[in-house]
Amino acid sequence: MEGIIVPATPDRPARTARPRRTAGIGRLLLGGVAGVLLTASLMTVLWWPRSEVTYRSSAPPSLVYDDGSPHFLGLVHRHSLSGRDSWEMVIGRDSGLSYGHWVDVDTALGSKGIDTTTWTKSGVHVRFLTGHELFVPARFFLHGR
């Protein structure tokens, strides 16, 4: 903001009025509020969607599949920014459960959880706490799928 110029007289030189300090403080506060809102928005976007593994199982070491790798199963609960939850089961060679054979699981089954898993040479049997059972043939999760 520019200062106001006061006309000069022979006995008084020209002066400029100082700008108000409140304008600078207002801009500082506005910048601080904008920074907080931007940081909160960024953290929300980075945090969502999120997922958590609610159940883990691994094939017993005595069971060796054709691809010679250990295999893992996990029940993954995904939370979306919109509040929609979904459940998926992943079976594969990655102990971190980031890739493998994915199977969508109904929310009614996933939210109750898995009771037991039984690994066999032909595949894996999954029994949910609801009493429902699921069988995934080994050919679907062998060789890196």
Side-chain angles (χ1 to χ4, degrees):
M1 183 164 134
E2 293 184 23
I4 300 171
I5 299 174
V6 177
T9 60
D11 59 334
R12 184 172 57 176
R15 294 184 304 177
T16 26
R18 293 183 184 170
R20 294 184 181 184
R21 287 187 176 192
T22 56
I25 293 172
R27 287 183 185 145
L28 182 64
L29 288 173
L30 183 61
V33 168
V36 167
L37 289 175
L38 183 61
T39 301
S41 299
L42 181 64
M43 294 304 291
T44 300
V45 168
L46 291 175
W47 190 59
W48 293 93
R50 64 184 172 93
S51 61
E52 61 182 315
V53 178
T54 60
Y55 179 87
R56 287 182 183 270
S57 176
S58 57
S62 60
L63 179 61
V64 179
Y65 288 105
D66 294 341
D67 61 1
S69 298
H71 289 82
F72 307 91
L73 177 144
L75 182 62
V76 180
H77 183 196
R78 295 195 188 276
H79 307 271
S80 71
L81 188 57
S82 66
R84 182 178 171 268
D85 291 347
S86 63
W87 296 85
E88 297 171 308
M89 193 169 56
V90 60
I91 309 164
R93 298 187 306 183
D94 179 29
S95 62
L97 303 173
S98 62
Y99 70 90
H101 180 68
W102 290 87
V103 178
D104 289 329
V105 175
D106 187 79
T107 302
L109 299 178
S111 62
K112 299 289 184 192
I114 294 176
D115 185 24
T116 60
T117 53
T118 306
W119 295 83
T120 64
K121 190 74 172 164
S122 61
V124 61
H125 294 270
V126 179
R127 181 174 175 80
F128 292 88
L129 288 170
T130 59
H132 292 85
E133 293 185 12
L134 176 69
F135 175 73
V136 180
R139 63 186 163 98
F140 290 113
F141 58 83
L142 293 180
H143 305 288
R145 286 184 269 170

